[in-house]
């Protein structure tokens, strides 16, 4: 399982989604520098989420006879429901602030896509 590749792709995806949403609210050149520097905390968050919540599912359940696709097909719906609920609670608790909404949308989309990348790794 290629975790570094998944983390790299997920970091780029998260940065794009997060800043595209934020640039729709406020376009300024001051944000361009912040967007570039945000790569470090986004990378740390993405790495922690993948290593703590997604990778253990594949690592624990991985057997020679079970493919990553079969694991994702069985457990991804439960993960998606839990992540959607947590993200919805975060949006409600933040009183629908644009930056928090963009954060939670980014989290949900990035984790869902990360599952897809893990599932497609060994599929022939």
């Amino acid at each position: 399982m290629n975790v570094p590749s998944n983390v790299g792709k997920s970091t780029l995806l998260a940065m794009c989604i997060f800043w595209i949403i934020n640039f729709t609210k406020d376009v300024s050149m001051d944000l361009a520098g912040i967007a570039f520097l945000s790569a470090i905390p986004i990378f740390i968050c993405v790495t922690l989420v993948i290593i703590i919540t997604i990778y253990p599912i594949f690592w624990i359940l991985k057997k020679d006879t079970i493919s990553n696709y079969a694991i994702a097909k069985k457990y991804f719906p439960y993960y998606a429901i839990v992540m959607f609920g947590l993200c919805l609670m975060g949006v409600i608790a933040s009183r629908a602030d644009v930056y928090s909404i963009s954060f939670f949308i980014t989290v949900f989309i990035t984790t869902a896509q990360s599952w897809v990348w893990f599932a497609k790794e060994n599929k022939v």
Side-chain angles (χ1 to χ4, degrees):
M1 204 173 298
N2 197 355
V3 176
S5 171
N6 195 325
V7 168
K9 292 187 285 189
S10 295
T11 300
L12 288 174
L13 177 66
M15 282 186 60
C16 290
I17 293 170
F18 183 77
W19 286 109
I20 286 171
I21 293 171
N22 288 332
F23 282 143
T24 59
K25 180 181 186 247
D26 181 28
V27 178
S28 91
M29 291 311 290
D30 297 335
L31 286 178
I34 294 171
F36 181 71
L37 290 174
S38 73
I40 296 167
I42 289 174
F43 173 78
I44 292 169
C45 290
V46 165
T47 303
L48 289 174
V49 167
I50 289 174
I51 289 175
I52 293 171
T53 66
I54 299 172
Y55 180 69
I57 295 170
F58 287 95
W59 182 66
I60 291 169
L61 299 173
K62 184 67 177 165
K63 297 178 182 147
D64 292 333
T65 59
I66 299 176
S67 68
N68 284 355
Y69 177 75
I71 293 170
K73 188 176 178 181
K74 185 173 184 179
Y75 294 101
F76 173 70
Y78 303 114
Y79 185 88
I81 290 167
V82 169
M83 282 304 294
F84 181 78
L86 291 173
C87 291
L88 183 63
M89 284 178 19
V91 168
I92 292 169
S94 68
R95 300 193 197 295
D97 176 47
V98 172
Y99 294 109
S100 63
I101 289 174
S102 66
F103 173 78
F104 290 113
I105 289 172
T106 300
V107 167
F108 183 74
I109 293 172
T110 303
T111 56
Q113 184 61 41
S114 188
W115 270 84
V116 171
W117 285 324
F118 273 131
K120 288 175 109 178
E121 260 179 23
N122 294 333
K123 190 175 178 187
V124 176

